[in-house]
Amino acid sequence: MNPNKRQLMRLLHGELTPTEAARLEAVIERDDALRTTYEQLAATWQRLELAEPQLPPIDFATAIKAAARQERDYELSWARAPMWARTGAAVALTAGMTLGLVLGSDLNETLAPETLAPKTLAALGNRTTLADTAAMEDMAQDDFDLDPLSLAEIYWLSIDDQEQLFSDPATGVTGSPGSTDSSGGIVR
Amino acid sequence: MTERPQENEHDPDRGILERVAAGDVESFGVLVERHEQRILGLCERMLHQPEEARDAAQEVFLKAFRKAGTYRPRGKVTTWLYRIAVNHCLNLLRRRRLAKFLSFGEVGGSQTDNPNDRPAFDPEDPAPDAEQRLAATRRWRETRRQIDALPASQRAVLVLAKFENLTYRNIAEVLQITEGAVESRLFRAMQRLREAQENRG
């Protein structure tokens, strides 16, 4: 880009020293194209207007201070907690994260829309309605918006749902997606 | 327009921040009071939604509270706060864009699409009559729409230059880019805005 053109915004923004500004203004006087660009930029710059921002609410600082104090007290309470409590919490957190990862990987296999519906259909045979399939596919797609904890909850809910779908109230027999015969019926 | 921050002067915020780093909540309150208007204004101009801007400004200060111990006195505390604020707003803008993409609909930034809506920065307007007020509101709305259409990196430079009145050097420090990058981003932003204004005009 023409170095003088690059300097135009600096001139508009008051970034140039008086000497630099005078030199550039002299160039602008002589160069029609540069002058046109400058005038366009200046007009655009002038037209950019926003209203003054709101004033902070009266209790803005007080509320933030209270939140900060709460955070600090919480951290201090942890720092003062006995070693066994901190160790226990660290172990529990690690175990929780590991469990979450394991469940998360299972969940991807279980609820992936392209695999879940055919499996379910095969397992349920004629007893599955289109509405059932659509609902399960919707649930699988919605999972992308949920955090890991909610995914785990949905996982267990889906297990419960499947147990319900496969149980036969007449005989009390309960099936699972794996316990199907070649025709897709429940093995009894 | 905001007063341009002076450079190379003693920074009174450093002592305050040192006390904040030591866990002094009262000093933190002082820091918030000194900068709340500036940070809230920046968040509003970046996000264009007053409610979201208030939440964002609160989060910015809490981040500053948490990170006070990591501050290195290379630049001014104001610059450091600006950096936290701009990064936070850029994150929010990214999330907003993602949410909009996922929902295939309007998430945020849509409140001015309805001409009957009041603008987000509703004016304590000095304009004496209703006609002037209405014209001002239209201009602000138009500016917001044009700024919203800019890429986030250009938007940040433009807001810091035009509305926060920071120098190129300060903007470069806040965004951790070179002054040359500030120059080219601002120039490109201005070209886009000019095209947008021409298309409408």
Side-chain angles (χ1 to χ4, degrees), chain A residues 151-187:
Chain A
L151 280 171
E153 286 164 356
I154 291 285
Y155 175 74
W156 292 115
L157 283 173
S158 73
I159 297 287
D160 286 344
D161 284 345
Q162 285 174 29
E163 291 297 330
Q164 273 187 350
L165 284 168
F166 286 91
S167 65
D168 186 334
T171 61
V173 174
T174 302
S176 70
S179 58
T180 56
D181 64 16
S182 56
S183 65
I186 297 174
V187 177

PDB file of all heavy atoms in Angstrom, chain A residues 151-187:
ATOM      1  N   LEU A 151     -24.522 -34.434  30.154  1.00  0.00           N
ATOM      2  CA  LEU A 151     -24.397 -35.582  29.257  1.00  0.00           C
ATOM      3  C   LEU A 151     -24.485 -36.872  30.061  1.00  0.00           C
ATOM      4  O   LEU A 151     -25.168 -37.822  29.674  1.00  0.00           O
ATOM      5  CB  LEU A 151     -23.050 -35.531  28.520  1.00  0.00           C
ATOM      6  CG  LEU A 151     -22.973 -34.595  27.335  1.00  0.00           C
ATOM      7  CD1 LEU A 151     -21.537 -34.484  26.848  1.00  0.00           C
ATOM      8  CD2 LEU A 151     -23.839 -35.100  26.199  1.00  0.00           C
ATOM      9  N   ALA A 152     -23.778 -36.879  31.208  1.00  0.00           N
ATOM     10  CA  ALA A 152     -23.809 -38.070  32.038  1.00  0.00           C
ATOM     11  C   ALA A 152     -25.234 -38.353  32.512  1.00  0.00           C
ATOM     12  O   ALA A 152     -25.697 -39.497  32.499  1.00  0.00           O
ATOM     13  CB  ALA A 152     -22.881 -37.886  33.230  1.00  0.00           C
ATOM     14  N   GLU A 153     -25.919 -37.274  32.889  1.00  0.00           N
ATOM     15  CA  GLU A 153     -27.302 -37.460  33.339  1.00  0.00           C
ATOM     16  C   GLU A 153     -28.169 -38.024  32.226  1.00  0.00           C
ATOM     17  O   GLU A 153     -28.963 -38.941  32.426  1.00  0.00           O
ATOM     18  CB  GLU A 153     -27.876 -36.116  33.812  1.00  0.00           C
ATOM     19  CG  GLU A 153     -27.320 -35.675  35.150  1.00  0.00           C
ATOM     20  CD  GLU A 153     -27.581 -34.215  35.424  1.00  0.00           C
ATOM     21  OE1 GLU A 153     -28.129 -33.533  34.542  1.00  0.00           O
ATOM     22  OE2 GLU A 153     -27.235 -33.761  36.520  1.00  0.00           O
ATOM     23  N   ILE A 154     -28.000 -37.466  31.030  1.00  0.00           N
ATOM     24  CA  ILE A 154     -28.781 -37.939  29.892  1.00  0.00           C
ATOM     25  C   ILE A 154     -28.459 -39.405  29.617  1.00  0.00           C
ATOM     26  O   ILE A 154     -29.334 -40.206  29.275  1.00  0.00           O
ATOM     27  CB  ILE A 154     -28.461 -37.095  28.641  1.00  0.00           C
ATOM     28  CG1 ILE A 154     -29.009 -35.683  28.804  1.00  0.00           C
ATOM     29  CG2 ILE A 154     -29.027 -37.727  27.384  1.00  0.00           C
ATOM     30  CD1 ILE A 154     -30.495 -35.560  28.650  1.00  0.00           C
ATOM     31  N   TYR A 155     -27.201 -39.764  29.795  1.00  0.00           N
ATOM     32  CA  TYR A 155     -26.790 -41.148  29.569  1.00  0.00           C
ATOM     33  C   TYR A 155     -27.593 -42.087  30.458  1.00  0.00           C
ATOM     34  O   TYR A 155     -28.184 -43.061  30.007  1.00  0.00           O
ATOM     35  CB  TYR A 155     -25.293 -41.275  29.857  1.00  0.00           C
ATOM     36  CG  TYR A 155     -24.777 -42.682  29.781  1.00  0.00           C
ATOM     37  CD1 TYR A 155     -24.596 -43.317  28.559  1.00  0.00           C
ATOM     38  CD2 TYR A 155     -24.480 -43.388  30.942  1.00  0.00           C
ATOM     39  CE1 TYR A 155     -24.125 -44.606  28.479  1.00  0.00           C
ATOM     40  CE2 TYR A 155     -24.015 -44.678  30.877  1.00  0.00           C
ATOM     41  CZ  TYR A 155     -23.838 -45.295  29.646  1.00  0.00           C
ATOM     42  OH  TYR A 155     -23.382 -46.571  29.575  1.00  0.00           O
ATOM     43  N   TRP A 156     -27.622 -41.728  31.760  1.00  0.00           N
ATOM     44  CA  TRP A 156     -28.366 -42.602  32.677  1.00  0.00           C
ATOM     45  C   TRP A 156     -29.858 -42.578  32.378  1.00  0.00           C
ATOM     46  O   TRP A 156     -30.535 -43.602  32.459  1.00  0.00           O
ATOM     47  CB  TRP A 156     -28.094 -42.195  34.128  1.00  0.00           C
ATOM     48  CG  TRP A 156     -26.680 -42.484  34.503  1.00  0.00           C
ATOM     49  CD1 TRP A 156     -25.718 -41.590  34.836  1.00  0.00           C
ATOM     50  CD2 TRP A 156     -26.031 -43.766  34.526  1.00  0.00           C
ATOM     51  NE1 TRP A 156     -24.524 -42.214  35.059  1.00  0.00           N
ATOM     52  CE2 TRP A 156     -24.681 -43.550  34.885  1.00  0.00           C
ATOM     53  CE3 TRP A 156     -26.447 -45.065  34.278  1.00  0.00           C
ATOM     54  CZ2 TRP A 156     -23.767 -44.577  35.000  1.00  0.00           C
ATOM     55  CZ3 TRP A 156     -25.531 -46.097  34.393  1.00  0.00           C
ATOM     56  CH2 TRP A 156     -24.210 -45.853  34.755  1.00  0.00           C
ATOM     57  N   LEU A 157     -30.357 -41.414  32.011  1.00  0.00           N
ATOM     58  CA  LEU A 157     -31.777 -41.340  31.646  1.00  0.00           C
ATOM     59  C   LEU A 157     -32.062 -42.225  30.452  1.00  0.00           C
ATOM     60  O   LEU A 157     -33.084 -42.913  30.391  1.00  0.00           O
ATOM     61  CB  LEU A 157     -32.154 -39.891  31.307  1.00  0.00           C
ATOM     62  CG  LEU A 157     -32.350 -38.960  32.493  1.00  0.00           C
ATOM     63  CD1 LEU A 157     -32.542 -37.528  32.009  1.00  0.00           C
ATOM     64  CD2 LEU A 157     -33.564 -39.401  33.307  1.00  0.00           C
ATOM     65  N   SER A 158     -31.133 -42.227  29.483  1.00  0.00           N
ATOM     66  CA  SER A 158     -31.368 -43.026  28.282  1.00  0.00           C
ATOM     67  C   SER A 158     -31.370 -44.503  28.618  1.00  0.00           C
ATOM     68  O   SER A 158     -32.121 -45.289  28.052  1.00  0.00           O
ATOM     69  CB  SER A 158     -30.315 -42.716  27.218  1.00  0.00           C
ATOM     70  OG  SER A 158     -29.081 -43.281  27.591  1.00  0.00           O
ATOM     71  N   ILE A 159     -30.505 -44.893  29.582  1.00  0.00           N
ATOM     72  CA  ILE A 159     -30.493 -46.299  30.013  1.00  0.00           C
ATOM     73  C   ILE A 159     -31.858 -46.650  30.604  1.00  0.00           C
ATOM     74  O   ILE A 159     -32.469 -47.658  30.287  1.00  0.00           O
ATOM     75  CB  ILE A 159     -29.395 -46.517  31.091  1.00  0.00           C
ATOM     76  CG1 ILE A 159     -28.023 -46.243  30.494  1.00  0.00           C
ATOM     77  CG2 ILE A 159     -29.475 -47.917  31.681  1.00  0.00           C
ATOM     78  CD1 ILE A 159     -27.534 -47.292  29.553  1.00  0.00           C
ATOM     79  N   ASP A 160     -32.345 -45.742  31.472  1.00  0.00           N
ATOM     80  CA  ASP A 160     -33.660 -45.977  32.093  1.00  0.00           C
ATOM     81  C   ASP A 160     -34.739 -46.129  31.036  1.00  0.00           C
ATOM     82  O   ASP A 160     -35.576 -47.026  31.090  1.00  0.00           O
ATOM     83  CB  ASP A 160     -34.034 -44.813  33.022  1.00  0.00           C
ATOM     84  CG  ASP A 160     -33.239 -44.858  34.293  1.00  0.00           C
ATOM     85  OD1 ASP A 160     -32.652 -45.928  34.567  1.00  0.00           O
ATOM     86  OD2 ASP A 160     -33.193 -43.848  35.003  1.00  0.00           O
ATOM     87  N   ASP A 161     -34.698 -45.221  30.031  1.00  0.00           N
ATOM     88  CA  ASP A 161     -35.695 -45.265  28.969  1.00  0.00           C
ATOM     89  C   ASP A 161     -35.645 -46.597  28.230  1.00  0.00           C
ATOM     90  O   ASP A 161     -36.661 -47.215  27.941  1.00  0.00           O
ATOM     91  CB  ASP A 161     -35.452 -44.139  27.960  1.00  0.00           C
ATOM     92  CG  ASP A 161     -35.897 -42.804  28.504  1.00  0.00           C
ATOM     93  OD1 ASP A 161     -36.643 -42.823  29.509  1.00  0.00           O
ATOM     94  OD2 ASP A 161     -35.516 -41.780  27.949  1.00  0.00           O
ATOM     95  N   GLN A 162     -34.424 -47.049  27.938  1.00  0.00           N
ATOM     96  CA  GLN A 162     -34.297 -48.292  27.183  1.00  0.00           C
ATOM     97  C   GLN A 162     -34.821 -49.467  28.002  1.00  0.00           C
ATOM     98  O   GLN A 162     -35.486 -50.345  27.500  1.00  0.00           O
ATOM     99  CB  GLN A 162     -32.840 -48.518  26.790  1.00  0.00           C
ATOM    100  CG  GLN A 162     -32.435 -47.587  25.647  1.00  0.00           C
ATOM    101  CD  GLN A 162     -30.962 -47.698  25.339  1.00  0.00           C
ATOM    102  OE1 GLN A 162     -30.374 -48.744  25.536  1.00  0.00           O
ATOM    103  NE2 GLN A 162     -30.394 -46.615  24.869  1.00  0.00           N
ATOM    104  N   GLU A 163     -34.480 -49.454  29.310  1.00  0.00           N
ATOM    105  CA  GLU A 163     -34.980 -50.528  30.166  1.00  0.00           C
ATOM    106  C   GLU A 163     -36.495 -50.572  30.106  1.00  0.00           C
ATOM    107  O   GLU A 163     -37.096 -51.626  29.998  1.00  0.00           O
ATOM    108  CB  GLU A 163     -34.531 -50.308  31.624  1.00  0.00           C
ATOM    109  CG  GLU A 163     -33.039 -50.484  31.851  1.00  0.00           C
ATOM    110  CD  GLU A 163     -32.559 -51.893  31.559  1.00  0.00           C
ATOM    111  OE1 GLU A 163     -33.352 -52.822  31.742  1.00  0.00           O
ATOM    112  OE2 GLU A 163     -31.422 -52.057  31.111  1.00  0.00           O
ATOM    113  N   GLN A 164     -37.097 -49.405  30.145  1.00  0.00           N
ATOM    114  CA  GLN A 164     -38.561 -49.347  30.105  1.00  0.00           C
ATOM    115  C   GLN A 164     -39.088 -49.881  28.773  1.00  0.00           C
ATOM    116  O   GLN A 164     -40.017 -50.672  28.731  1.00  0.00           O
ATOM    117  CB  GLN A 164     -39.020 -47.913  30.269  1.00  0.00           C
ATOM    118  CG  GLN A 164     -39.179 -47.528  31.720  1.00  0.00           C
ATOM    119  CD  GLN A 164     -39.791 -46.162  31.844  1.00  0.00           C
ATOM    120  OE1 GLN A 164     -39.932 -45.442  30.868  1.00  0.00           O
ATOM    121  NE2 GLN A 164     -40.144 -45.794  33.053  1.00  0.00           N
ATOM    122  N   LEU A 165     -38.437 -49.466  27.685  1.00  0.00           N
ATOM    123  CA  LEU A 165     -38.913 -49.875  26.372  1.00  0.00           C
ATOM    124  C   LEU A 165     -38.818 -51.380  26.176  1.00  0.00           C
ATOM    125  O   LEU A 165     -39.639 -51.975  25.508  1.00  0.00           O
ATOM    126  CB  LEU A 165     -38.082 -49.177  25.280  1.00  0.00           C
ATOM    127  CG  LEU A 165     -38.397 -47.710  25.042  1.00  0.00           C
ATOM    128  CD1 LEU A 165     -37.324 -47.074  24.174  1.00  0.00           C
ATOM    129  CD2 LEU A 165     -39.756 -47.551  24.388  1.00  0.00           C
ATOM    130  N   PHE A 166     -37.783 -51.981  26.777  1.00  0.00           N
ATOM    131  CA  PHE A 166     -37.557 -53.399  26.531  1.00  0.00           C
ATOM    132  C   PHE A 166     -38.277 -54.316  27.504  1.00  0.00           C
ATOM    133  O   PHE A 166     -38.317 -55.508  27.301  1.00  0.00           O
ATOM    134  CB  PHE A 166     -36.043 -53.707  26.588  1.00  0.00           C
ATOM    135  CG  PHE A 166     -35.323 -53.207  25.366  1.00  0.00           C
ATOM    136  CD1 PHE A 166     -34.770 -51.947  25.346  1.00  0.00           C
ATOM    137  CD2 PHE A 166     -35.247 -53.988  24.225  1.00  0.00           C
ATOM    138  CE1 PHE A 166     -34.124 -51.475  24.232  1.00  0.00           C
ATOM    139  CE2 PHE A 166     -34.604 -53.508  23.101  1.00  0.00           C
ATOM    140  CZ  PHE A 166     -34.044 -52.253  23.104  1.00  0.00           C
ATOM    141  N   SER A 167     -38.802 -53.730  28.583  1.00  0.00           N
ATOM    142  CA  SER A 167     -39.458 -54.631  29.525  1.00  0.00           C
ATOM    143  C   SER A 167     -40.852 -54.994  29.013  1.00  0.00           C
ATOM    144  O   SER A 167     -41.525 -54.180  28.401  1.00  0.00           O
ATOM    145  CB  SER A 167     -39.547 -53.959  30.899  1.00  0.00           C
ATOM    146  OG  SER A 167     -40.374 -52.837  30.802  1.00  0.00           O
ATOM    147  N   ASP A 168     -41.194 -56.213  29.228  1.00  0.00           N
ATOM    148  CA  ASP A 168     -42.506 -56.690  28.777  1.00  0.00           C
ATOM    149  C   ASP A 168     -43.407 -56.819  29.995  1.00  0.00           C
ATOM    150  O   ASP A 168     -43.186 -57.657  30.859  1.00  0.00           O
ATOM    151  CB  ASP A 168     -42.325 -58.050  28.093  1.00  0.00           C
ATOM    152  CG  ASP A 168     -43.628 -58.522  27.477  1.00  0.00           C
ATOM    153  OD1 ASP A 168     -44.713 -58.105  27.957  1.00  0.00           O
ATOM    154  OD2 ASP A 168     -43.568 -59.312  26.539  1.00  0.00           O
ATOM    155  N   PRO A 169     -44.398 -55.946  30.092  1.00  0.00           N
ATOM    156  CA  PRO A 169     -45.231 -55.962  31.295  1.00  0.00           C
ATOM    157  C   PRO A 169     -45.968 -57.285  31.500  1.00  0.00           C
ATOM    158  O   PRO A 169     -46.254 -57.678  32.628  1.00  0.00           O
ATOM    159  CB  PRO A 169     -46.220 -54.823  31.055  1.00  0.00           C
ATOM    160  CG  PRO A 169     -46.013 -54.332  29.677  1.00  0.00           C
ATOM    161  CD  PRO A 169     -44.806 -54.967  29.104  1.00  0.00           C
ATOM    162  N   ALA A 170     -46.238 -57.989  30.417  1.00  0.00           N
ATOM    163  CA  ALA A 170     -47.005 -59.244  30.539  1.00  0.00           C
ATOM    164  C   ALA A 170     -46.184 -60.331  31.232  1.00  0.00           C
ATOM    165  O   ALA A 170     -46.690 -61.052  32.088  1.00  0.00           O
ATOM    166  CB  ALA A 170     -47.432 -59.728  29.155  1.00  0.00           C
ATOM    167  N   THR A 171     -44.893 -60.416  30.854  1.00  0.00           N
ATOM    168  CA  THR A 171     -44.081 -61.514  31.399  1.00  0.00           C
ATOM    169  C   THR A 171     -43.056 -61.039  32.411  1.00  0.00           C
ATOM    170  O   THR A 171     -42.470 -61.845  33.127  1.00  0.00           O
ATOM    171  CB  THR A 171     -43.304 -62.203  30.264  1.00  0.00           C
ATOM    172  OG1 THR A 171     -42.443 -61.218  29.673  1.00  0.00           O
ATOM    173  CG2 THR A 171     -44.235 -62.762  29.219  1.00  0.00           C
ATOM    174  N   GLY A 172     -42.831 -59.728  32.440  1.00  0.00           N
ATOM    175  CA  GLY A 172     -41.807 -59.198  33.338  1.00  0.00           C
ATOM    176  C   GLY A 172     -40.406 -59.379  32.792  1.00  0.00           C
ATOM    177  O   GLY A 172     -39.424 -59.056  33.450  1.00  0.00           O
ATOM    178  N   VAL A 173     -40.269 -59.861  31.522  1.00  0.00           N
ATOM    179  CA  VAL A 173     -38.940 -60.048  30.944  1.00  0.00           C
ATOM    180  C   VAL A 173     -38.410 -58.701  30.458  1.00  0.00           C
ATOM    181  O   VAL A 173     -39.135 -57.907  29.886  1.00  0.00           O
ATOM    182  CB  VAL A 173     -39.007 -61.025  29.749  1.00  0.00           C
ATOM    183  CG1 VAL A 173     -37.651 -61.114  29.042  1.00  0.00           C
ATOM    184  CG2 VAL A 173     -39.454 -62.382  30.240  1.00  0.00           C
ATOM    185  N   THR A 174     -37.121 -58.452  30.739  1.00  0.00           N
ATOM    186  CA  THR A 174     -36.504 -57.195  30.296  1.00  0.00           C
ATOM    187  C   THR A 174     -35.418 -57.494  29.281  1.00  0.00           C
ATOM    188  O   THR A 174     -34.609 -58.395  29.484  1.00  0.00           O
ATOM    189  CB  THR A 174     -35.887 -56.461  31.500  1.00  0.00           C
ATOM    190  OG1 THR A 174     -36.914 -56.237  32.449  1.00  0.00           O
ATOM    191  CG2 THR A 174     -35.301 -55.129  31.076  1.00  0.00           C
ATOM    192  N   GLY A 175     -35.444 -56.761  28.163  1.00  0.00           N
ATOM    193  CA  GLY A 175     -34.440 -56.964  27.131  1.00  0.00           C
ATOM    194  C   GLY A 175     -33.462 -55.808  27.072  1.00  0.00           C
ATOM    195  O   GLY A 175     -33.604 -54.831  27.774  1.00  0.00           O
ATOM    196  N   SER A 176     -32.429 -55.973  26.247  1.00  0.00           N
ATOM    197  CA  SER A 176     -31.472 -54.886  26.023  1.00  0.00           C
ATOM    198  C   SER A 176     -31.117 -54.898  24.551  1.00  0.00           C
ATOM    199  O   SER A 176     -31.367 -55.886  23.862  1.00  0.00           O
ATOM    200  CB  SER A 176     -30.226 -55.091  26.870  1.00  0.00           C
ATOM    201  OG  SER A 176     -29.513 -56.190  26.367  1.00  0.00           O
ATOM    202  N   PRO A 177     -30.535 -53.805  24.044  1.00  0.00           N
ATOM    203  CA  PRO A 177     -30.246 -53.759  22.614  1.00  0.00           C
ATOM    204  C   PRO A 177     -29.388 -54.924  22.155  1.00  0.00           C
ATOM    205  O   PRO A 177     -29.458 -55.331  21.004  1.00  0.00           O
ATOM    206  CB  PRO A 177     -29.488 -52.433  22.457  1.00  0.00           C
ATOM    207  CG  PRO A 177     -29.933 -51.606  23.592  1.00  0.00           C
ATOM    208  CD  PRO A 177     -30.187 -52.559  24.705  1.00  0.00           C
ATOM    209  N   GLY A 178     -28.583 -55.508  23.043  1.00  0.00           N
ATOM    210  CA  GLY A 178     -27.714 -56.613  22.621  1.00  0.00           C
ATOM    211  C   GLY A 178     -28.437 -57.944  22.590  1.00  0.00           C
ATOM    212  O   GLY A 178     -28.009 -58.880  21.920  1.00  0.00           O
ATOM    213  N   SER A 179     -29.542 -58.044  23.323  1.00  0.00           N
ATOM    214  CA  SER A 179     -30.170 -59.366  23.456  1.00  0.00           C
ATOM    215  C   SER A 179     -31.292 -59.545  22.451  1.00  0.00           C
ATOM    216  O   SER A 179     -32.443 -59.702  22.798  1.00  0.00           O
ATOM    217  CB  SER A 179     -30.716 -59.516  24.885  1.00  0.00           C
ATOM    218  OG  SER A 179     -31.629 -58.479  25.151  1.00  0.00           O
ATOM    219  N   THR A 180     -30.930 -59.488  21.188  1.00  0.00           N
ATOM    220  CA  THR A 180     -31.948 -59.644  20.154  1.00  0.00           C
ATOM    221  C   THR A 180     -31.623 -60.856  19.290  1.00  0.00           C
ATOM    222  O   THR A 180     -30.471 -61.252  19.176  1.00  0.00           O
ATOM    223  CB  THR A 180     -31.992 -58.412  19.235  1.00  0.00           C
ATOM    224  OG1 THR A 180     -30.690 -58.213  18.690  1.00  0.00           O
ATOM    225  CG2 THR A 180     -32.415 -57.179  19.992  1.00  0.00           C
ATOM    226  N   ASP A 181     -32.624 -61.422  18.681  1.00  0.00           N
ATOM    227  CA  ASP A 181     -32.372 -62.517  17.753  1.00  0.00           C
ATOM    228  C   ASP A 181     -32.199 -61.951  16.348  1.00  0.00           C
ATOM    229  O   ASP A 181     -32.244 -60.740  16.149  1.00  0.00           O
ATOM    230  CB  ASP A 181     -33.503 -63.553  17.823  1.00  0.00           C
ATOM    231  CG  ASP A 181     -34.826 -62.966  17.369  1.00  0.00           C
ATOM    232  OD1 ASP A 181     -34.829 -61.875  16.722  1.00  0.00           O
ATOM    233  OD2 ASP A 181     -35.859 -63.573  17.669  1.00  0.00           O
ATOM    234  N   SER A 182     -32.003 -62.839  15.379  1.00  0.00           N
ATOM    235  CA  SER A 182     -31.673 -62.374  14.034  1.00  0.00           C
ATOM    236  C   SER A 182     -32.811 -61.589  13.397  1.00  0.00           C
ATOM    237  O   SER A 182     -32.589 -60.766  12.526  1.00  0.00           O
ATOM    238  CB  SER A 182     -31.290 -63.562  13.156  1.00  0.00           C
ATOM    239  OG  SER A 182     -32.367 -64.483  13.180  1.00  0.00           O
ATOM    240  N   SER A 183     -34.024 -61.811  13.837  1.00  0.00           N
ATOM    241  CA  SER A 183     -35.142 -61.077  13.239  1.00  0.00           C
ATOM    242  C   SER A 183     -35.402 -59.758  13.944  1.00  0.00           C
ATOM    243  O   SER A 183     -36.326 -59.047  13.611  1.00  0.00           O
ATOM    244  CB  SER A 183     -36.408 -61.934  13.297  1.00  0.00           C
ATOM    245  OG  SER A 183     -36.758 -62.129  14.652  1.00  0.00           O
ATOM    246  N   GLY A 184     -34.606 -59.454  14.971  1.00  0.00           N
ATOM    247  CA  GLY A 184     -34.778 -58.183  15.647  1.00  0.00           C
ATOM    248  C   GLY A 184     -35.718 -58.279  16.820  1.00  0.00           C
ATOM    249  O   GLY A 184     -35.951 -57.295  17.495  1.00  0.00           O
ATOM    250  N   GLY A 185     -36.237 -59.436  17.117  1.00  0.00           N
ATOM    251  CA  GLY A 185     -37.134 -59.574  18.255  1.00  0.00           C
ATOM    252  C   GLY A 185     -36.349 -59.792  19.538  1.00  0.00           C
ATOM    253  O   GLY A 185     -35.172 -60.126  19.509  1.00  0.00           O
ATOM    254  N   ILE A 186     -37.012 -59.577  20.660  1.00  0.00           N
ATOM    255  CA  ILE A 186     -36.334 -59.737  21.952  1.00  0.00           C
ATOM    256  C   ILE A 186     -36.185 -61.228  22.259  1.00  0.00           C
ATOM    257  O   ILE A 186     -37.116 -61.999  22.095  1.00  0.00           O
ATOM    258  CB  ILE A 186     -37.141 -59.064  23.075  1.00  0.00           C
ATOM    259  CG1 ILE A 186     -37.216 -57.567  22.788  1.00  0.00           C
ATOM    260  CG2 ILE A 186     -36.541 -59.326  24.435  1.00  0.00           C
ATOM    261  CD1 ILE A 186     -38.099 -56.819  23.744  1.00  0.00           C
ATOM    262  N   VAL A 187     -35.013 -61.611  22.693  1.00  0.00           N
ATOM    263  CA  VAL A 187     -34.767 -63.002  23.092  1.00  0.00           C
ATOM    264  C   VAL A 187     -35.347 -63.206  24.474  1.00  0.00           C
ATOM    265  O   VAL A 187     -35.108 -62.430  25.388  1.00  0.00           O
ATOM    266  CB  VAL A 187     -33.241 -63.285  23.135  1.00  0.00           C
ATOM    267  CG1 VAL A 187     -32.992 -64.710  23.612  1.00  0.00           C
ATOM    268  CG2 VAL A 187     -32.638 -63.061  21.763  1.00  0.00           C
TER     269      VAL A 187
END
